[in-house]
């Protein structure tokens, strides 16, 4: 069987599993998630062994210790992954929720209810915990998961999916509801991206280049996630101490994630009060500032910002900074360079907050709060499959309801259209 | 300027117009829609003249009278089109609607509000009324419209858009918010389909081949609309008279539209009672039945159904028919051959209705009602931009809320993430 034929076989089995999974009641799905969690804990030693093979291969290939740490699984980490699956079981089931409903003038009863999407494809890099997290969120929302992890984690992912499938075999959830895309070649990803009709949605999780290539090549509908070039705008009316605290938190609390700040924009009227204090605080935190001429005029070790800096998602202890003459100039900067993830305004002016919120076209807009709050856990969703930066279907942190579609159910008594 | 450069210029201007349009209050958008309606009525003679050129060209090309009738505009038709725009003005504004909201445990105030999508591209065939209908729905929902109509209606569409732009120039809505894609070549559609980042969503309206080619080539997110291979399933427990009425209404009330029935499936236990009456009623209505062996065993002029018939969206006075041994066999038939638009069950059994509703994966499922009810007007949405047959973003009839995205607005008092 060719790799493509093998893929099609797997995808069709996922489709059949999705049909069996869709009508299952919550209790059956929760029981399956607990069975998966139990099995992961029980099989932790064999999963660790498979992971050791991946880690050894990565070491031989000269992978950085940071990446190897991300790749590594221990019995403790596996216990935490299993615990996360139990947490998903505890979340409300979105399937069957009534989104809209009523009786039409002609007496027809109309209800719009949440239903699973069907088969969800997930392409991801790095950490093998995503294999279980994504599968758990898909199962809970009644979807089959077709997983394509990094080839560097292939042994680990194969072991994790094997354990999950064996656990599901003893439950009402079809074991085929969780599957790995066969193969590790670049070509094997393409089968997934071209599987329109077999796969209902594709969620790439990873860096900009992965996401762009999926968007470019996929005929399956894609939800873009994760690229965050987030800005903090310090308005003329800002509380300076609050602005410094928010900027520092947004930049340094966890620099490697998509909701970390990558740019600050300061209104000219408050620059004298804000910029020196901000530069000092950033320097103390080890942050390199890439500034325009007006930022650089305040001294300090500010690197000259290039056009590339305004576009940059550093994911490191770097930040770009610029003085702007108005709130609208800040909005214009964000419109030109931002990625539509999260922007924050620090202000004491209600009209300024209102104008910024109305004009900034990002998934999340923060008023007097750190950009770091854009997160499914922080928003109270319990878990997230990713943070969408597109406008279609889901925008911002995606929880369980974002993994569903809807269906209209219309009930009559022999109603005919006249 | 090349056609592509011209397209990019137009798309960027649409983007700027969208930014200006997004924060406008409802009154400004409604006033603009009334100005458009007034101008259409006033300029009806010049629009008719442009339309006559399209009609003459179509006649020369040997176009069928049916298609020429669809293409034709009269002063009366233009008045009706203007009236439809006024009706859109009267609908509630979805922008700013709060979808979800509350205060998080840490005191952050979280609100998810509806915002416009941005720039909406619409590719459509046939009737020039879509040019105004689509523009009106986009404007009302705060979106700029990039329109690509049929080349056969190019003069008409150019005149309609010219009148709309001139009318908008006297309002708060930027005139660039309604634009035609430059050019009439096949290549010019491609510019639109590849304009990811400039165009937020593409809605193709038309036949299966148009929609498939857009899905295949577009990097802009697409919402599939309109292909409907709808089935009526007559359950063992059905009221036979009701089943015949529903089948007849679903097939013949307007055969050329996507929510017309194209297949009927009959439970074997009721076939003796139902099939002869249904065949007679269908024959009297001029419908050709394409049946399987079991349907054909009841006599009548039933054509032998081929595999193609089960897939067919006839859009004519034809229907395929099959006897099935169970409700689950009917569901399996629908899963194999259906297009996920609308299916109906006729039954007096509550468990059968529940099972059918839960297992049929279509945008709309009717219980004891005609498939013809799947429609934005009938559902009470006031108007529709199309009927989505995909699961992402919108499913079923798309009204104004389906032309929006959302944004999270998070308000704190200097909140930092710990």
């Amino acid at each position: 069987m060719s790799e493509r034929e093998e893929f099609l076989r797997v995808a069709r089995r996922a489709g059949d599993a999705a049909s069996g999974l869709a009508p299952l009641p919550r209790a059956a799905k929760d029981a399956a998630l607990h069975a998966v969690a139990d099995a992961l804990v029980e099989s932790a030693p064999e999963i660790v062994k498979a992971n050791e093979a991946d880690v050894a291969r990565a070491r031989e290939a000269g992978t950085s210790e940071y990446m190897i740490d991300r790749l590594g699984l221990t019995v403790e980490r596996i216990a935490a992954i299993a615990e996360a699956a139990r947490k998903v079981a505890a979340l409300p089931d979105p399937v069957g929720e009534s989104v809209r409903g009523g009786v039409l003038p002609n007496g027809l009863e109309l209800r719009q209810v949440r239903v699973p999407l069907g088969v969800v494809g997930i392409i991801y890099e790095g950490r093998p915990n995503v294999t279980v997290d994504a599968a758990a969120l898909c199962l809970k929302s009644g979807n089959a998961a077709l997983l394509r992890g990094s080839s560097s984690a292939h042994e680990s992912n194969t072991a994790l999916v094997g354990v999950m499938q064996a656990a599901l075999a003893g439950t009402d959830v079809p074991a085929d509801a969780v599957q790995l895309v066969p193969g590790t070649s670049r070509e094997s990803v393409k089968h997934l991206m071209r599987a329109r009709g077999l796969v209902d949605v594709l969620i790439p999780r990873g860096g900009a280049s992965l996401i762009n290539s999926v968007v470019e090549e996929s005929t399956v509908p894609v939800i873009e996630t994760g690229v965050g070039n987030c800005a903090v705008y310090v308005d003329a009316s800002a509380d300076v101490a609050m602005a410094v605290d928010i900027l520092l938190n947004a930049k340094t609390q966890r620099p490697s994630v998509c909701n970390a700040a990558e740019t600050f924009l300061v209104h000219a009227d408050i620059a004298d009060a804000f910029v020196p204090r901000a530069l000092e605080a950033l320097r103390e935190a080890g942050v390199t500032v890439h500034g325009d001429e007006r930022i650089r005029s305040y001294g300090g070790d500010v690197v000259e910002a290039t056009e590339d800096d305004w576009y940059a998602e550093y994911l490191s202890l770097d930040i770009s900074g610029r003085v702007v003459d108005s709130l609208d100039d800040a909005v214009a900067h964000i419109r030109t360079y931002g990625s539509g993830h999260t922007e924050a305004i620090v202000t004491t002016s209600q009209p300024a907050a209102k104008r910024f919120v109305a004009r900034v076209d990002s998934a999340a807009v923060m008023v007097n709060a750190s950009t770091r709050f854009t997160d499914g856990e922080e928003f109270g969703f319990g878990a997230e499959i990713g943070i969408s930066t597109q406008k279609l279907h889901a925008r911002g942190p995606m929880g369980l309801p974002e993994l569903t579609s809807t269906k209209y159910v219309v009930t009559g008594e022999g109603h005919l259209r006249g």
Side-chain angles (χ1 to χ4, degrees), chain A residues 240-253:
Chain A
V240 170
M242 184 194 288
V244 171
D245 287 348
I246 284 178
L247 177 59
L248 213 68
N249 183 265
K251 178 68 258 181
T252 66
Q253 198 255 345

Side-chain angles (χ1 to χ4, degrees), chain A residues 122-124 146-151 181 183-186 188-189 192:
Chain A
I122 299 163
I123 304 178
Y124 53 102
L146 257 186
L147 304 165
R148 177 51 158 80
S150 161
S151 58
V181 171
T184 57
S185 69
R186 283 211 143 269
S188 69
V189 191
L192 180 58

Side-chain angles (χ1 to χ4, degrees), chain A residues 375-392:
Chain A
D375 177 275
E377 289 277 353
E378 292 291 329
F379 279 11
F381 302 167
E384 68 173 39
I385 189 92
I387 296 178
S388 163
T389 52
Q390 72 178 33
K391 295 190 195 169
L392 229 56

Side-chain angles (χ1 to χ4, degrees), chain A residues 188-201:
Chain A
S188 69
V189 191
K190 289 203 179 149
H191 304 320
L192 180 58
M193 296 194 292
R194 309 297 293 181
R196 191 171 185 105
L198 292 173
V199 178
D200 293 284
V201 56

Side-chain angles (χ1 to χ4, degrees), chain A residues 141-393:
Chain A
S141 50
N143 297 295
L146 257 186
L147 304 165
R148 177 51 158 80
S150 161
S151 58
S152 67
H154 189 65
E155 304 276 331
S156 315
N157 291 338
T158 302
L160 288 166
V161 169
V163 169
M164 287 195 278
Q165 288 182 331
L168 292 178
T171 74
D172 290 341
V173 171
D176 283 340
V178 177
Q179 291 186 82
L180 279 188
V181 171
T184 57
S185 69
R186 283 211 143 269
E187 201 58 34
S188 69
V189 191
K190 289 203 179 149
H191 304 320
L192 180 58
M193 296 194 292
R194 309 297 293 181
R196 191 171 185 105
L198 292 173
V199 178
D200 293 284
V201 56
L202 211 49
I203 305 177
R205 290 179 50 157
S209 77
L210 167 70
I211 288 164
N212 286 340
S213 84
V214 173
V215 161
E216 186 64 32
E217 298 191 39
S218 182
T219 55
V220 175
V222 173
I223 299 180
E224 281 187 68
T225 67
V227 176
N229 175 13
C230 305
V232 174
Y233 165 62
V234 181
D235 186 47
S237 71
D239 176 312
V240 170
M242 184 194 288
V244 171
D245 287 348
I246 284 178
L247 177 59
L248 213 68
N249 183 265
K251 178 68 258 181
T252 66
Q253 198 255 345
R254 198 166 164 208
S256 64
V257 292
C258 59
N259 57 18
E262 307 291 13
T263 298
F264 66 92
L265 305 164
V266 191
H267 194 288
D269 291 353
I270 204 172
D272 283 354
F274 174 78
V275 177
R277 283 176 66 175
L279 292 182
E280 194 188 331
L282 289 165
R283 187 174 43 242
E284 276 173 18
V287 177
T288 302
V289 176
H290 305 250
D292 71 345
E293 271 318 301
R294 292 161 87 178
I295 296 284
R296 281 158 58 83
S297 73
Y298 291 94
D301 305 323
V302 177
V303 180
E304 192 176 341
T306 65
E307 184 77 357
D308 284 351
D309 283 300
W310 309 124
Y311 285 110
E313 187 188 20
Y314 298 113
L315 301 174
S316 61
L317 286 175
D318 291 81
I319 196 164
S320 62
R322 165 177 264 179
V323 176
V324 293
D325 290 318
S326 67
L327 183 149
D328 286 354
D329 282 0
V331 171
H333 178 101
I334 289 164
R335 187 169 294 146
T336 305
Y337 300 107
S339 66
H341 191 296
T342 301
E343 326 300 333
I345 180 173
V346 187
T347 186
T348 60
S349 156
Q350 196 274 341
K354 191 163 187 286
R355 190 171 179 89
F356 189 82
V357 164
R359 308 215 163 222
V360 166
D361 189 23
S362 296
V365 184
M366 303 283 162
V367 178
N368 295 330
S370 170
T371 57
R372 288 278 294 117
F373 284 107
T374 302
D375 177 275
E377 289 277 353
E378 292 291 329
F379 279 11
F381 302 167
E384 68 173 39
I385 189 92
I387 296 178
S388 163
T389 52
Q390 72 178 33
K391 295 190 195 169
L392 229 56
H393 184 73

